[in-house]
Structures are given as structure tokens and as C-alpha cells.
Amino acid sequence: MVREPTSEHSAEALLLDAALQTIPFGFCVWSADFELVMWNQHYLDIYGFPRKSIRRGMSLFEVVALSTALGNHPDTDPKSFYDAYTAELMGNRSGLRAVNLELTASHRTLETAHIFAPGLGWVVTHEDVTEEIARSDMMSERKRELERQYALLDAAINNISQGLSMFDNDFRLVTCNAEFVSMYGLPPELARPGANFDDILEHRRKTNMHAPVDRDAYRTERQKILTGGRFVREVVKMANGTFISLRHQPLSGGGVVTTHEDITDQLAAEARMRHMATHDALTDLPNRGLFREELETVLKGLEHGKQPALLAVNIDHFKAVNDSEGHAIGDKVLRKIAERLSHAVGSRGIVARLGGDEFSVLMPSVGVPHEAADLARALVKAIGEPIVFGRKTIKLSTSIGIAVAPGDGKTTDAIMNNADLALLRAKSEGRGTYHFFEAGMDATLQRRRTLETGLRDALANNGLSVVFQPIVSLQTNTVVAAEALMRWDHPQLGPISPVEFIPIAEETGIIHAIGGWILEAAARAAARWPGHVRVAVNLSPIQFKRPDLIATIRAALKAAGLDASRLELEITESLLLENSQSNLDLLLALRGLGVRVAMDDFGTGYSSLSYLRAFPFDKIKIDRSFMADVATKADSRAILGAMISLGNNLGMTTVAEGVETAEQLAVVRAEGCTQVQGYFFSPPVDGATMLALLEAEKSDAPRKSA
């Protein structure tokens, strides 16, 4: 069927209207009576017209007056510009394209071009060519390019990135752009106006660029869109796997304009973004948000008799790895741990990384609780295997808390909270193990969280204090040193024992800041004491994981003006159990500073003579546990005597801790102990009392010698 000219003309006008906003330059149409027919946003922007100031039917003179008022067309007045411009338009009715230059208020140069279309008026384009004019050597080529680009309206259509097609009510192609032809691989005869939609669809089917549905059903659906009279947006998957986004805009005179965009890459990128939003970037495991969603889904099945188990997995002392090896190695370790967890869990559950060294495992349904225990044992074993990177070997352990729904909680928060409580119990029982949730653990967790938060506040707000317990020489019966001990009086909970808060400080990493604080406080106090009195400070094994330990000690000594020889650093035997060569090297570096090094709690743990031989400690401190019955039991006295003799023979000072009675003092003196510490002489006292005690001892010295 041949279309009537009026219908074809109407379709072209509608196409112009549909494509108007996609044209990348200012565009407007003036009627034969010089009234504004249509325009696009670029036209408003290029002259600085406020959106509401321009309206359809507005006269050319009104627009010129507004433009001049905004500072455009300098060096002329509205009437002069209007007269010249209308004369120019009236003189161009031949269908040729006339080009002029204009200046805007922002001193930009615009190229305006107009062409007369019978029945419509003057079609005018406006483009900023400031840069092109500045590059005069490129102007000629630019002019020729613009002539080709703007000669016909379909050139503007071909500039849009999407494919564009227009079909009439009879399913015949009115027009399309090059992108549409390329997207569907259309031959020339199917890209010409009048081509039948069915022929185009058949070609698309042959090339797999069609929706893999029934052909008639697809055509019926297209017919509904064509005649529906409303905007429709859809995404269609082609037979070749690509995804095409279609936007159908009905035309008031009949037909529809459709844009076609291949969004396959966009959807893939969005899928990647969704994955990134729900997965941990380091390990690619599900993150906390996705894990909670999975847990909520599983918990909805409780009414069907399912019994899911949640395992809260925490890597023991992982912060020490970051401190000693750096975050790059720490990240490698976390990835290896994630691999081991995923391999050990397999199809039994879902592994997630919640953050830091916190992992979690969800078993959607367990028949009996021991299935969760079996998995926990497998995870402990898997994580416990050494991790080797080249010549570096890292050995870690893991603690696991287990909560089983519905008995241990029916909501996401409840089950996760109770698994955390069980995890804390596992940590308190020595780490490297697992523990099931038990009723009554909530108070334990609440206290721990209170202490963790309070400890940070105490450090920031001078809530910690230091006391000193004198160490007495049995040769001179005078104080020769004092051990600095931390004290914390919580605002609500009262005094908190270091036995309780130091492990929390170690686990959270705040021990480094606390350790630096007590070094500074102890050094400042000792600087006021007589020169022969030393101060002893305990070092946590965790502090040895930080490469800046030497610098911290040196800074504390310098700030206090204290000689390094007056500082004693007390370490425990456990420090030498792991990575002993590295720790021995650090101990030798400490000795190089001039400080003295003492082994604390000697005899309680994993004592090995090889440690005493590998590093020449200045002092060994015999643990207070050996004092309890040393005055009444011969075997206890024999053990004490052996340790004292060992230290003396190695040239080390020996200190007996926990001496509380005259009988205990008599025994340690008789066995040859060098120094003693305990309540028999003095409890820990504050700094002022310690200074007064030393001053009083100094005053008594002349009288004793007399």
C-alpha cells in the first residue's frame, strides 16, 4: 500500500519531535509567521533561557528581546537584530541552508544555520563553535563537516547511540537509523521506508537476533504495543544471548518510535556490582549483609522442623600477624583461611566473612548437634595447619562458637548473638577449640563488651593508673627496683583486675597503646627515684609483633630522661614458644638499648633451659605459686632451691615473687635468692607513696650505717 503524502509528512514531523531531545545541538523551528513551534533543551541552555520563559507560540521578537536582555547579541538592540534576522529568514525560502555567527553573553561564538521547510517554517540549529573558530586552520574542514552533518534531519537521528526505528500502524517501516540497521544486520532492502515488519522479523530469526518465543505470539505482543497508546519499556533476551532494551513511544498520529539498546555489557556490569555489594572484596566470600539474608531465609523454615546451626569463627590473635608481618601478608593469610574454610565446609553450609578475622558458617539444617561439632573440629584442624609463603611459615588457631536454632534463638540477631557468646567462651577456655551456646552466657558477653568499650575510654580519658610494688635486695635489705602494675577503676563496675582486662586489650589490639602508656608513666615516675632504683614493666607477647616496639621504648626513655639501664622489661616464657628466633633477635635489640630483660613467671609454663641458654636474661622471677607451701614442704623447697641455684649459676639475678610471711622469707634467703617481692614488704602503692618510701629509706640509711 502506498502512503498518502500527508501521512508521510505527519510521520516525519512526529519523528522529528521524538528525536528532538537527542540532538546534540540547539534546535528550534519558527513558523512562517515567526512564532516558536518547537525547541530542545540545548537551545535553552546555549542562550541561557530560563525554562519557563520560553513557550510554544512565542513571537520571534519576544525571544530576541529576552535574549538581548540576557546579554546575548552585544553591540545591537532587539529591534535592529529582529529586523535583520527576519529579513534574512524571509530571503531564504529556496530550501538551501544559510549559516551565520552570533555572540552570547558568555562571549561564546554560535553558528546558527536555518533552512526553510514548506508547511513547517524555518528549522534552525545553534552550535557552539568557539573552539573551532580559535583553530582557524581547522575551520574549513569543520564547515564542510557541518554541512554534511546537518543537511538532513536523519543525520541527527544517526548521531544517537541507540538504534531507532519508526513503524506505522500497518507495521511498515517509516524510517530508522544506521545503529538499528547495524544492530540487526539488516540488508539495504529491509532498511528502506516501507519495509514490512514481518520481513524484518524473519531476517532477525535467521540471524538469531530475535526473541526465542513463538513468532505469532511475539507479533501479537508487538501489535498491542503499537496500538496501546502508552509508553512501554521492556528488556528482551535475544536467541544469541544478548539483551536488548526497547523503549516504545506511541505517536499521536499513529505508529510508534522505538529505541533499541544492547545492554548485555551493562547487565553484566550490574551483576558484577551486585556481587561486589554482597561479597567480601578480599576473599570473595558472602559478606555480612548477604549472610544475614541467607540466615533469615533459613530461619523461615523453622516451622518445617529444620534445625540450622550457626558457627561463629574467629582467628586467634590475628592482629599480631598484621602487626608483625604487615597487612599484605595478613591479607594473604585471610585468603588462605577463606579457602580452607570453604573446602572444609563444602556442601554442608555457607561460609561468609563478616569483617576482619571474623568468619561465619551457616549449616541450613543439622539432624543432631554433633554434626555442627564435627564440622567445628574439622575447621579447627584446617586452620591449625601451618600457612607457608616461601620461607615464611605462619601458624594460627581458631576459636568457634556454635548456636543451634530454634533452641538457641529464632531470630537472626538472637542466633548470631548467641554464637558470639559461645565464641567468647571458647576463647576463655584457651582458644583453638569450639563451644556450644549455653544459657547464662549473655551476662558474660555484656560485661566483656562493656569492658572493651570502657578500656578504650579509659585510655583516652586518663582512666588508667599505675602502682608500684617494691623489689627488695636480700643483700642490702633495701629497695632496688619496683614493678609497675596497671590499675583500672571502671566508673560503673569498680576495680577491674588486669587478669581480666589485659587479655581483652590483647585481643582488640589496644595493648600496643596501653603498653606505650605504661612505659611512659613508669619511666616518668622512676626518673624521680634514687639513681640505683630500677623500674620493671611487663611486656605482652602481642607487643613483640609490632616493629615499632624499640622506637616506643626509646621514646619513653627519652621523654622521661631516664637512663636505659634503669628500665627492666619483664616477659613471659610463652613469648619464646612461637617464632622464637625473631623474638630472640628483638630481645637482643632491646639489650642493645641498654635495658635489662627479665623472665617473668619462671617455672609455670613451658620452661626450657634452652631459652635461658639462647638468651642471657638479666633476671628470672620465680612465680608466686611456688611460695604457698615452701616453708612447710620439703619437695616445694627443693624445687625452689633448684630454680634459684640455676639462676645463680647462670649469673642471673633471682627474684622470689609473692613472699608474704617471715617463714617464706627465711627459706628464700637460705636458698640464696637475690631479691624478693611481696606483701611481706609492701603491697603495690601509688607513685607518691613509692617516692615517699624511697625518700624515707634514703633518710634511714645514714642512721643505719651509724
Side-chain angles (χ1 to χ4, degrees):
M1 183 180 71
V2 178
R3 292 178 53 83
E4 295 180 3
T6 55
S7 175
E8 181 176 355
H9 177 74
S10 173
E12 291 177 354
L14 289 170
L15 175 61
L16 173 64
D17 188 56
L20 200 56
Q21 296 305 323
T22 66
I23 297 176
F25 45 78
F27 182 93
C28 67
V29 175
W30 296 100
S31 71
D33 297 325
F34 300 129
E35 291 183 347
L36 189 59
V37 177
M38 62 181 69
W39 64 92
N40 67 359
Q41 184 62 41
H42 289 298
Y43 174 67
L44 303 182
D45 294 341
I46 208 164
Y47 285 106
F49 290 143
R51 189 178 185 88
K52 294 183 178 180
S53 66
I54 301 299
R55 65 187 183 278
R56 189 178 303 275
M58 194 172 181
S59 72
L60 176 59
F61 184 81
E62 289 178 298
V63 174
V64 168
L66 174 61
S67 181
T68 305
L70 291 172
N72 300 313
H73 325 302
D75 302 325
T76 186
D77 59 87
K79 185 177 186 309
S80 299
F81 185 91
Y82 173 79
D83 291 343
Y85 192 51
T86 53
E88 182 180 318
L89 293 177
M90 292 297 292
N92 179 32
R93 295 191 176 202
S94 63
L96 297 178
R97 185 168 177 270
V99 179
N100 284 302
L101 297 179
E102 294 181 7
L103 289 178
T104 69
S106 58
H107 303 290
R108 308 293 291 177
T109 301
L110 304 182
E111 180 179 271
T112 65
H114 53 82
I115 186 170
F116 184 76
L120 180 62
W122 287 274
V123 179
V124 187
T125 61
H126 311 254
E127 184 169 10
D128 189 329
V129 294
T130 307
E131 282 70 25
E132 284 80 356
I133 292 176
R135 299 188 295 271
S136 58
D137 57 325
M138 298 176 63
M139 277 298 294
S140 296
E141 179 61 29
R142 178 62 177 165
K143 291 283 187 180
R144 287 192 296 271
E145 177 61 25
L146 287 175
E147 288 288 341
R148 291 190 297 270
Q149 182 178 358
Y150 303 133
L152 298 171
L153 183 60
D154 62 353
I157 298 173
N158 282 312
N159 279 336
I160 65 174
S161 60
Q162 298 91 0
L164 185 144
S165 66
M166 180 178 180
F167 286 89
D168 62 20
N169 282 335
D170 297 319
F171 264 78
R172 292 188 178 278
L173 183 67
V174 176
T175 190
C176 64
N177 66 358
E179 184 64 25
F180 175 79
V181 174
S182 174
M183 180 178 293
Y184 296 109
L186 299 180
E189 63 271 16
L190 294 181
R192 297 189 184 103
N196 190 283
F197 176 79
D198 291 335
D199 295 336
I200 295 174
L201 180 59
E202 185 60 30
H203 175 81
R204 286 172 51 184
R205 292 180 66 83
K206 291 178 181 179
T207 58
N208 277 336
M209 282 300 293
H210 70 102
V213 296
D214 180 76
R215 183 179 184 278
D216 292 337
Y218 185 76
R219 192 185 191 285
T220 300
E221 184 64 28
R222 301 303 96 186
Q223 183 70 46
K224 289 180 180 178
I225 293 174
L226 187 68
T227 60
R230 60 185 180 85
F231 175 82
V232 177
R233 179 178 180 178
E234 59 178 339
V235 174
V236 179
K237 184 178 182 181
M238 300 290 110
N240 65 356
T242 60
F243 290 86
I244 305 297
S245 173
L246 303 174
R247 298 187 180 191
H248 309 281
Q249 178 64 56
L251 302 174
S252 58
V256 65
V257 173
T258 303
T259 59
H260 309 246
E261 182 178 8
D262 187 333
I263 60 170
T264 307
D265 292 340
Q266 177 185 332
L267 292 179
E270 290 174 356
R272 289 193 296 272
M273 291 296 291
R274 285 194 298 271
H275 183 85
M276 291 172 62
T278 57
H279 287 73
D280 173 53
L282 180 65
T283 64
D284 204 39
L285 293 175
N287 61 16
R288 183 184 293 272
L290 179 57
F291 186 76
R292 285 183 63 93
E293 290 179 9
E294 295 286 351
L295 180 56
E296 288 172 0
T297 300
V298 168
L299 290 176
K300 290 177 182 177
L302 289 177
E303 62 262 22
H304 302 300
K306 289 188 176 182
Q307 189 174 237
L310 181 65
L311 284 69
V313 181
N314 189 249
I315 310 305
D316 298 328
H317 298 309
F318 177 75
K319 287 183 175 61
V321 176
N322 277 337
D323 290 341
S324 62
E325 308 297 341
H327 287 277
I329 293 296
D331 287 348
K332 288 183 179 180
V333 170
L334 287 172
R335 282 193 289 267
K336 177 59 71 174
I337 288 171
E339 290 175 9
R340 292 183 177 180
L341 289 174
S342 297
H343 184 266
V345 173
S347 61
R348 288 183 283 183
I350 301 169
V351 183
R353 181 185 179 214
L354 306 187
D357 59 351
E358 297 179 52
F359 295 84
S360 200
V361 177
L362 173 62
M363 301 178 73
S365 184
V366 295
V368 288
H370 76 72
E371 292 180 16
D374 291 342
L375 179 57
R377 280 192 293 271
L379 298 181
V380 169
K381 181 179 179 182
I383 300 304
E385 294 295 326
I387 298 175
V388 180
F389 298 117
R391 297 182 179 180
K392 185 175 294 295
T393 299
I394 297 174
K395 187 167 175 49
L396 294 167
S397 64
T398 185
S399 299
I400 300 176
I402 306 173
V404 181
D408 297 338
K410 296 181 180 180
T411 66
T412 299
D413 289 335
I415 200 75
M416 293 184 74
N417 185 65
N418 290 340
D420 284 341
L421 288 170
L423 172 63
L424 287 177
R425 176 61 61 84
K427 285 179 174 290
S428 69
E429 292 182 351
R431 304 173 187 275
T433 186
Y434 66 90
H435 202 289
F436 279 91
F437 171 76
E438 296 173 359
M441 287 183 175
D442 194 37
T444 303
L445 177 62
Q446 185 62 42
R447 179 175 176 85
R448 177 192 162 82
R449 288 176 175 167
T450 299
L451 292 181
E452 183 176 331
T453 302
L455 192 55
R456 296 182 185 278
D457 292 341
L459 181 62
N461 300 305
N462 299 317
L464 298 174
S465 61
V466 60
V467 295
F468 303 91
Q469 186 168 36
I471 300 173
V472 178
S473 168
L474 290 182
Q475 182 179 5
T476 63
N477 290 322
T478 59
V479 176
V480 292
E483 180 179 359
L485 302 167
M486 255 190 298
R487 293 292 182 263
W488 178 26
D489 193 4
H490 191 280
Q492 287 80 41
L493 303 178
I496 309 298
S497 169
V499 174
E500 186 175 12
F501 73 76
I502 290 298
I504 295 176
E506 291 177 334
E507 291 169 16
T508 57
I510 198 176
I511 189 65
H512 300 291
I514 290 178
W517 174 83
I518 195 170
L519 275 169
E520 293 177 3
R524 284 197 306 270
R528 302 175 62 193
W529 300 345
H532 69 283
V533 180
R534 299 184 176 91
V535 65
V537 179
N538 291 279
L539 287 183
S540 163
I542 304 300
Q543 290 177 265
F544 274 71
K545 307 297 183 181
R546 284 280 285 264
D548 61 352
L549 178 59
I550 296 290
T552 299
I553 294 171
R554 185 183 286 117
L557 291 171
K558 182 178 180 180
L562 185 71
D563 190 87
S565 63
R566 294 184 59 199
L567 175 63
E568 293 182 352
L569 297 176
E570 298 186 2
I571 67 168
T572 59
E573 298 167 5
S574 61
L575 173 67
L576 301 174
L577 289 176
E578 184 179 347
N579 198 16
S580 58
Q581 186 56 54
S582 173
N583 289 332
L584 284 173
D585 291 343
L586 187 51
L587 287 172
L588 290 171
L590 290 174
R591 177 67 63 76
L593 286 180
V595 304
R596 292 164 60 87
V597 182
M599 178 180 282
D600 196 15
D601 300 336
F602 183 71
T604 59
Y606 310 90
S607 297
S608 172
L609 297 180
S610 63
Y611 295 150
L612 299 182
R613 185 176 64 177
F615 181 78
F617 288 92
D618 297 289
K619 178 185 290 188
I620 57 174
K621 300 187 74 176
I622 301 169
D623 189 71
R624 66 184 66 250
S625 61
F626 293 99
M627 292 296 112
D629 52 8
V630 73
T632 58
K633 290 187 177 181
D635 54 351
S636 296
R637 178 167 181 166
I639 294 172
L640 176 68
M643 288 190 288
I644 293 173
S645 177
L646 174 63
N648 291 338
N649 289 335
L650 291 175
M652 301 176 184
T653 300
T654 55
V655 182
E657 295 184 291
V659 175
E660 298 181 356
T661 67
E663 292 77 13
Q664 291 171 340
L665 175 62
V667 171
V668 297
R669 188 189 294 275
E671 294 296 335
C673 192
T674 312
Q675 299 173 359
V676 292
Q677 177 181 350
Y679 275 71
F680 182 77
F681 292 96
S682 173
V685 296
D686 60 34
T689 304
M690 183 68 201
L691 181 60
L693 186 154
L694 293 173
E695 292 293 339
E697 189 175 76
K698 183 178 179 182
S699 302
D700 289 343
R703 291 195 293 273
K704 289 182 180 179
S705 61

mmCIF file of all heavy atoms in Angstrom, residues 58-75:
data_model
loop_
_atom_site.group_PDB
_atom_site.id
_atom_site.type_symbol
_atom_site.label_atom_id
_atom_site.label_comp_id
_atom_site.label_asym_id
_atom_site.label_seq_id
_atom_site.Cartn_x
_atom_site.Cartn_y
_atom_site.Cartn_z
ATOM 1 N N MET A 58 5.365 31.637 21.089
ATOM 2 C CA MET A 58 6.029 32.884 21.448
ATOM 3 C C MET A 58 6.591 33.533 20.168
ATOM 4 O O MET A 58 7.142 32.851 19.292
ATOM 5 C CB MET A 58 7.157 32.569 22.434
ATOM 6 C CG MET A 58 7.731 33.748 23.149
ATOM 7 S SD MET A 58 8.874 33.151 24.443
ATOM 8 C CE MET A 58 9.372 34.722 25.131
ATOM 9 N N SER A 59 6.471 34.850 20.044
ATOM 10 C CA SER A 59 6.919 35.520 18.827
ATOM 11 C C SER A 59 8.434 35.616 18.809
ATOM 12 O O SER A 59 9.088 35.616 19.854
ATOM 13 C CB SER A 59 6.309 36.913 18.728
ATOM 14 O OG SER A 59 6.899 37.779 19.688
ATOM 15 N N LEU A 60 8.977 35.713 17.587
ATOM 16 C CA LEU A 60 10.423 35.844 17.429
ATOM 17 C C LEU A 60 10.930 37.107 18.107
ATOM 18 O O LEU A 60 11.995 37.113 18.733
ATOM 19 C CB LEU A 60 10.784 35.842 15.935
ATOM 20 C CG LEU A 60 12.258 36.075 15.595
ATOM 21 C CD1 LEU A 60 13.125 35.014 16.250
ATOM 22 C CD2 LEU A 60 12.462 36.051 14.072
ATOM 23 N N PHE A 61 10.150 38.191 18.044
ATOM 24 C CA PHE A 61 10.609 39.436 18.662
ATOM 25 C C PHE A 61 10.717 39.278 20.188
ATOM 26 O O PHE A 61 11.648 39.772 20.811
ATOM 27 C CB PHE A 61 9.656 40.591 18.316
ATOM 28 C CG PHE A 61 10.134 41.921 18.853
ATOM 29 C CD1 PHE A 61 11.107 42.648 18.166
ATOM 30 C CD2 PHE A 61 9.639 42.440 20.050
ATOM 31 C CE1 PHE A 61 11.573 43.860 18.674
ATOM 32 C CE2 PHE A 61 10.103 43.638 20.553
ATOM 33 C CZ PHE A 61 11.077 44.352 19.860
ATOM 34 N N GLU A 62 9.741 38.586 20.775
ATOM 35 C CA GLU A 62 9.789 38.368 22.230
ATOM 36 C C GLU A 62 11.048 37.587 22.623
ATOM 37 O O GLU A 62 11.714 37.887 23.618
ATOM 38 C CB GLU A 62 8.546 37.593 22.691
ATOM 39 C CG GLU A 62 7.262 38.395 22.646
ATOM 40 C CD GLU A 62 6.070 37.560 23.054
ATOM 41 O OE1 GLU A 62 5.785 36.565 22.341
ATOM 42 O OE2 GLU A 62 5.446 37.885 24.088
ATOM 43 N N VAL A 63 11.371 36.584 21.831
ATOM 44 C CA VAL A 63 12.550 35.777 22.136
ATOM 45 C C VAL A 63 13.819 36.591 21.953
ATOM 46 O O VAL A 63 14.751 36.524 22.766
ATOM 47 C CB VAL A 63 12.574 34.511 21.255
ATOM 48 C CG1 VAL A 63 13.860 33.739 21.461
ATOM 49 C CG2 VAL A 63 11.374 33.627 21.569
ATOM 50 N N VAL A 64 13.881 37.411 20.869
ATOM 51 C CA VAL A 64 15.055 38.257 20.636
ATOM 52 C C VAL A 64 15.223 39.251 21.773
ATOM 53 O O VAL A 64 16.340 39.485 22.266
ATOM 54 C CB VAL A 64 14.930 38.976 19.273
ATOM 55 C CG1 VAL A 64 15.990 40.068 19.142
ATOM 56 C CG2 VAL A 64 15.058 37.976 18.133
ATOM 57 N N ALA A 65 14.115 39.840 22.233
ATOM 58 C CA ALA A 65 14.185 40.807 23.331
ATOM 59 C C ALA A 65 14.699 40.136 24.606
ATOM 60 O O ALA A 65 15.531 40.695 25.332
ATOM 61 C CB ALA A 65 12.806 41.426 23.556
ATOM 62 N N LEU A 66 14.209 38.938 24.889
ATOM 63 C CA LEU A 66 14.664 38.211 26.080
ATOM 64 C C LEU A 66 16.142 37.859 25.961
ATOM 65 O O LEU A 66 16.917 38.024 26.909
ATOM 66 C CB LEU A 66 13.829 36.931 26.248
ATOM 67 C CG LEU A 66 14.273 35.983 27.377
ATOM 68 C CD1 LEU A 66 14.191 36.690 28.734
ATOM 69 C CD2 LEU A 66 13.410 34.720 27.368
ATOM 70 N N SER A 67 16.552 37.426 24.764
ATOM 71 C CA SER A 67 17.948 37.039 24.564
ATOM 72 C C SER A 67 18.872 38.230 24.737
ATOM 73 O O SER A 67 19.935 38.134 25.369
ATOM 74 C CB SER A 67 18.118 36.416 23.177
ATOM 75 O OG SER A 67 19.450 36.011 22.970
ATOM 76 N N THR A 68 18.474 39.361 24.182
ATOM 77 C CA THR A 68 19.295 40.571 24.309
ATOM 78 C C THR A 68 19.384 41.006 25.768
ATOM 79 O O THR A 68 20.445 41.417 26.252
ATOM 80 C CB THR A 68 18.712 41.695 23.445
ATOM 81 O OG1 THR A 68 18.585 41.246 22.098
ATOM 82 C CG2 THR A 68 19.603 42.932 23.487
ATOM 83 N N ALA A 69 18.289 40.903 26.496
ATOM 84 C CA ALA A 69 18.283 41.271 27.916
ATOM 85 C C ALA A 69 19.221 40.383 28.726
ATOM 86 O O ALA A 69 19.777 40.811 29.743
ATOM 87 C CB ALA A 69 16.859 41.183 28.464
ATOM 88 N N LEU A 70 19.400 39.164 28.261
ATOM 89 C CA LEU A 70 20.306 38.244 28.962
ATOM 90 C C LEU A 70 21.767 38.471 28.597
ATOM 91 O O LEU A 70 22.659 37.779 29.100
ATOM 92 C CB LEU A 70 19.923 36.789 28.643
ATOM 93 C CG LEU A 70 18.591 36.312 29.226
ATOM 94 C CD1 LEU A 70 18.238 34.927 28.686
ATOM 95 C CD2 LEU A 70 18.650 36.288 30.757
ATOM 96 N N GLY A 71 22.028 39.432 27.693
ATOM 97 C CA GLY A 71 23.405 39.769 27.343
ATOM 98 C C GLY A 71 23.868 39.198 26.029
ATOM 99 O O GLY A 71 25.025 39.404 25.631
ATOM 100 N N ASN A 72 23.004 38.477 25.314
ATOM 101 C CA ASN A 72 23.375 37.928 24.017
ATOM 102 C C ASN A 72 23.297 39.030 22.946
ATOM 103 O O ASN A 72 22.683 40.080 23.148
ATOM 104 C CB ASN A 72 22.450 36.769 23.647
ATOM 105 C CG ASN A 72 22.517 35.648 24.681
ATOM 106 O OD1 ASN A 72 23.594 35.239 25.094
ATOM 107 N ND2 ASN A 72 21.345 35.171 25.112
ATOM 108 N N HIS A 73 23.882 38.801 21.793
ATOM 109 C CA HIS A 73 23.891 39.747 20.660
ATOM 110 C C HIS A 73 24.392 41.129 21.091
ATOM 111 O O HIS A 73 23.676 42.145 20.961
ATOM 112 C CB HIS A 73 22.477 39.897 20.059
ATOM 113 C CG HIS A 73 21.675 38.641 20.080
ATOM 114 N ND1 HIS A 73 22.105 37.468 19.471
ATOM 115 C CD2 HIS A 73 20.466 38.342 20.664
ATOM 116 C CE1 HIS A 73 21.191 36.540 19.658
ATOM 117 N NE2 HIS A 73 20.201 37.016 20.385
ATOM 118 N N PRO A 74 25.598 41.230 21.658
ATOM 119 C CA PRO A 74 26.113 42.545 22.088
ATOM 120 C C PRO A 74 26.263 43.493 20.887
ATOM 121 O O PRO A 74 26.336 43.068 19.728
ATOM 122 C CB PRO A 74 27.460 42.192 22.719
ATOM 123 C CG PRO A 74 27.862 40.880 22.106
ATOM 124 C CD PRO A 74 26.586 40.147 21.869
ATOM 125 N N ASP A 75 26.313 44.754 21.206
ATOM 126 C CA ASP A 75 26.513 45.818 20.201
ATOM 127 C C ASP A 75 25.316 45.980 19.264
ATOM 128 O O ASP A 75 25.460 46.480 18.132
ATOM 129 C CB ASP A 75 27.784 45.562 19.370
ATOM 130 C CG ASP A 75 29.023 45.468 20.243
ATOM 131 O OD1 ASP A 75 29.084 46.200 21.260
ATOM 132 O OD2 ASP A 75 29.909 44.659 19.911
#
